[in-house]
Amino acid sequence: MDISRIFTISESNHRIHNPFTEDKYATLGAALRLEPGTRVLDLGSGSGEMLCTWARDHGISGIGIDMSPLFTEQARRRAGELGVADRVEFIHGDAAGYIAEEKVGVAACIGATWIGGGVGGSIDLLARSLCVGGIILIGEPFWLRLPPTEEIAKGCGAQSVSDFLVLPDRVASFGDLGYDVVEMVLADRDGWDRYEAAKWLTMRRWLDANPGDEFAREVRSLLRSEPVRHVTYTREYLGWGVFALLAR
Ligand code: SAH
């Protein structure tokens, strides 16, 4: 079981696989006023940076599930580096339908809401693992401004303009689902650059090391087009944030 190979190549050097940076995860961890010992579930945990740093800084314990064997291995290694391997566990697997055996105080899906079939479905899935009074975290893109054409939405990596909402509608949507939005930390353009631009050097280094690989043509073509695509579309039109929700 694995994710598409392009991510395994282009994001192999990322600790965070979305436009958040280390300081944004630190801000979010502090904003949530996490008590030591809080159990945190993370569906689509990537390379584990959120759980590992929160275990180090706030004494939480955590379980992360991710479909990528590479990212899961990196997460376990990071837990060891930060001295929190006894408190965070990383499971390689499909998180669709995953429900924690023991209820958690925080249940998160950060930049992977397709796991629950969209934002609403992911909230429902996370809620099934949550203690009464627990917090749900959703990390999701939104439109900074509505793309005037479908072509621009596609340039941002969306299938269609309707894939995402503008921020006021995104925030209102959580209320419509019966949740209070109790905290919010948004990514910025520098964060988008860290996520997107960091792929370029990784791809270039991979190409230099693997010129004969059957995937090299595809990576070469992406490296040619991605920098201009990013500054033309994603950087201009797409926002991203993590929203903390409490059931009303
Ligand atoms: N939350 C992480 C990773 C976000 S990127 C971070 O903040 O860095 C999305 C992640 O979802 C990737 O690590 C990918 O491997 C994982 N993923 C994709 N589909 C999945 C699925 N069905 N089950 C579990 N993980 C999945």
Side-chain angles (χ1 to χ4, degrees):
M1 185 191 299
D2 204 345
I3 56 173
S4 129
R5 189 170 176 213
I6 188 60
F7 300 114
T8 304
I9 294 171
S10 66
E11 299 187 26
S12 59
N13 207 48
H14 285 50
R15 273 200 189 132
I16 299 171
H17 305 267
N18 65 52
F20 252 24
T21 46
E22 220 175 291
D23 58 309
K24 295 284 182 183
Y25 267 132
T27 299
L28 179 63
L32 295 175
R33 307 171 205 171
L34 297 163
E35 298 285 339
T38 303
R39 294 168 53 78
V40 182
L41 173 68
D42 191 9
L43 303 186
S45 44
S47 300
E49 192 67 4
M50 181 180 85
L51 288 182
C52 291
T53 54
W54 288 2
R56 177 193 63 192
D57 299 339
H58 301 287
I60 59 115
S61 67
I63 301 177
I65 295 104
D66 200 280
M67 201 137 114
S68 160
L70 173 70
F71 297 168
T72 305
E73 190 46 45
Q74 290 180 165
R76 291 178 185 141
R77 202 176 322 132
R78 186 70 174 146
E81 269 168 29
L82 297 188
V84 296
D86 56 334
R87 268 179 287 142
V88 290
E89 182 188 0
F90 291 100
I91 298 168
H92 169 235
D94 187 347
Y98 184 90
I99 296 161
E101 278 171 29
E102 204 181 318
K103 301 260 195 237
V104 300
V106 177
C109 183
I110 310 292
T113 53
W114 57 85
I115 286 173
V119 169
S122 293
I123 291 174
D124 291 344
L125 174 61
L126 293 169
R128 297 174 70 185
S129 295
L130 204 63
C131 300
V132 176
I135 291 180
I136 289 180
L137 298 178
I138 294 289
E140 183 71 4
F142 57 85
W143 296 122
L144 290 172
R145 51 197 169 104
L146 209 58
T149 66
E150 288 292 332
E151 188 205 334
I152 292 176
K154 288 195 171 75
C156 296
Q159 303 285 324
S160 142
V161 176
S162 64
D163 280 9
F164 306 128
L165 302 174
V166 292
L167 185 57
D169 292 347
R170 177 82 280 158
V171 170
S173 77
F174 297 121
D176 296 341
L177 293 168
Y179 286 84
D180 286 326
V181 178
V182 295
E183 257 296 358
M184 173 182 96
V185 178
L186 302 184
D188 56 24
R189 282 184 165 171
D190 291 339
W192 271 117
D193 295 345
R194 285 309 79 236
Y195 177 49
E196 294 293 342
K199 298 179 195 178
W200 310 337
L201 182 57
T202 305
M203 287 197 284
R204 176 54 201 261
R205 292 259 155 90
W206 182 89
L207 277 169
D208 290 347
N210 299 277
D213 193 287
E214 55 177 19
F215 216 60
R217 274 171 73 102
E218 188 169 336
V219 174
R220 167 39 65 200
S221 147
L222 268 178
L223 180 56
R224 264 184 222 276
S225 58
E226 274 294 289
V228 173
R229 185 202 64 75
H230 171 61
V231 298
T232 309
Y233 298 114
T234 305
R235 204 171 193 280
E236 290 301 310
Y237 288 92
L238 214 52
W240 198 92
V242 178
F243 305 90
L245 314 173
L246 270 171
R248 283 183 182 144

